[in-house]
Amino acid sequence: MNAIPAPQTGYQPLLSVRDLTVHFDVPGGRLRAVGGVSFDLRPGETLGLVGESGCGKTVTALSILRLIACPPGEVAGEVRFGEEDILSCSAERLRQIRGARIAMVFQEPMTALNPVFTIGEQVAEVLRRHRSMSPKAAWQEAARALTRVGLPDAGQRLGQYPHQLSGGLRQRVLMAMALACGPQLLIADEPTTALDVTIQAQILALLARLKEELGLAVLFITHNLGIVAQSADRVAVMYAGLIVEQAETVALFNNPGHPYTRGLLSSVPVLDFHHPPGNLLAVISGQVPQLVEPPPGCLFRDRCPEARGVCVEPPPVVEVEPGHLVRCWNFVEQSAISRQPSA
């Protein structure tokens, strides 16, 4: 299965992922969770990685930081952060990069935070480890970090435990820990999923502000297309462990190419006062294919309304316009037609 290449834009990427594959040995055989993912992330950019649950988004993010246990996992490919080769650097060098240069905000803050340590102890630990601060200096800096992410009464919160905070405040604590050492790259894995809509908006606004203030690059993982439209500069759409489409956000929403992308966009609820209530939402029929023994050809074939005979072969990646890449046989044929000389 050929990997979708990253767009060639002439810039020096901060993060470069090439042909990343992840397999797991499971009771039923060998599961291919990620099947050849490639993308670039430039300094100061936000890339939205979207797709339904189980498509490989989180596994991709964990692989970038080498947080996949091997075995039972097996990670291959290339992940370069600046000049660093993440997948082959030493364990000691990796500890220096994690938290200091690349940070991650996890989906569920209650499980990401240690319930037996105070908020202050957990934020201060990051500062002591990566910035060699004294306990007193780290504690003071932890209070400033909590203030930076908008946590009210930051000095008082230092002595509290995670269970004493709401979900939104716990997510701010995770962001404070992630940004305390001034990383260049933030990986945000569904950071607003468990929050109500009002708190979601506050967290997204906070992330946008901090991104601008600190010059962060952000890999934003989500299944929420509304968040992607609001937050991302570019979008990569994943399906069954593969990136099937990649483009600038405006181009992807205005001119989606892959049938899966179009299916995702059409399934988003729309508030339309010109149509009567009761209309059913569009759905993508069928199920995600079994990845222990993936079927041949296009993995979306059995759910695709446009599938035909050629789809039994793996589709190549086509650049339909500069920077807009689609993995689909439809565009191979269109490209061939466009290259034919006129009569």
Side-chain angles (χ1 to χ4, degrees), residues 44-67:
E45 180 185 41
T46 297
L47 174 65
L49 190 60
V50 302
E52 59 193 296
S53 297
C55 71
K57 306 184 300 295
T58 295
V59 172
T60 297
L62 295 176
S63 301
I64 291 171
L65 284 174
R66 272 172 54 186
L67 292 174

Side-chain angles (χ1 to χ4, degrees), residues 73-327:
E74 180 183 306
V75 181
E78 183 180 86
V79 177
R80 300 198 68 86
F81 178 68
E83 299 301 320
E84 304 275 359
D85 185 350
I86 298 293
L87 297 187
S88 63
C89 69
S90 67
E92 177 57 33
R93 180 57 184 153
L94 186 62
R95 282 191 291 269
Q96 296 171 1
I97 294 172
R98 285 182 190 155
R101 298 183 63 195
I102 306 177
M104 187 165 181
V105 175
F106 295 91
Q107 179 174 349
E108 178 45 65
M110 196 59 198
T111 56
L113 293 168
N114 193 320
V116 301
F117 290 100
T118 66
I119 297 303
E121 289 172 317
Q122 295 184 64
V123 179
E125 180 187 9
V126 177
L127 295 160
R128 292 196 304 269
R129 178 178 294 274
H130 291 292
R131 294 176 59 180
S132 301
M133 287 185 168
S134 67
K136 181 179 179 180
W139 192 265
Q140 293 171 342
E141 183 60 29
R144 285 190 284 270
L146 293 177
T147 300
R148 187 184 305 126
V149 298
L151 203 72
D153 302 319
Q156 177 185 347
R157 303 291 185 182
L158 290 172
Q160 293 182 327
Y161 290 87
H163 72 272
Q164 295 176 282
L165 305 183
S166 67
L169 294 183
R170 287 194 294 264
Q171 196 61 273
R172 289 175 187 266
V173 171
L174 282 186
M175 292 178 68
M177 292 174 64
L179 301 176
C181 295
Q184 298 166 276
L185 169 61
L186 177 68
I187 301 175
D189 184 12
E190 302 271 15
T192 63
T193 296
L195 307 176
D196 63 51
V197 175
T198 303
I199 304 302
Q200 267 191 19
Q202 293 175 4
I203 295 297
L204 290 173
L206 171 64
L207 184 58
R209 176 175 64 81
L210 293 173
K211 174 181 177 290
E212 293 300 319
E213 289 179 0
L214 304 176
L216 285 170
V218 179
L219 177 60
F220 200 108
I221 298 169
T222 183
H223 64 274
N224 190 319
L225 291 169
I227 290 176
V228 168
Q230 176 183 345
S231 306
D233 301 301
R234 285 190 302 118
V235 184
V237 181
M238 285 193 77
Y239 179 77
L242 296 169
I243 291 179
V244 297
E245 185 163 6
Q246 188 175 160
E248 292 187 358
T249 303
V250 173
L252 185 130
F253 277 80
N254 287 343
N255 188 29
H258 198 278
Y260 176 64
T261 307
R262 295 200 297 273
L264 287 179
L265 291 172
S266 66
S267 65
V268 176
V270 177
L271 185 62
D272 188 349
F273 293 105
H274 298 289
H275 290 81
N279 292 336
L280 295 177
L281 290 175
V283 298
I284 301 175
S285 62
Q287 301 292 325
V288 177
Q290 171 61 252
L291 296 181
V292 172
E293 294 183 4
C298 176
L299 294 179
F300 191 60
R301 183 182 75 236
D302 292 340
R303 307 177 71 187
C304 181
E306 303 170 30
R308 53 196 188 282
V310 70
C311 298
V312 298
E313 299 293 331
V317 176
V318 179
E319 188 169 29
V320 298
E321 58 184 6
H324 191 160
L325 306 173
V326 183
R327 185 192 299 275

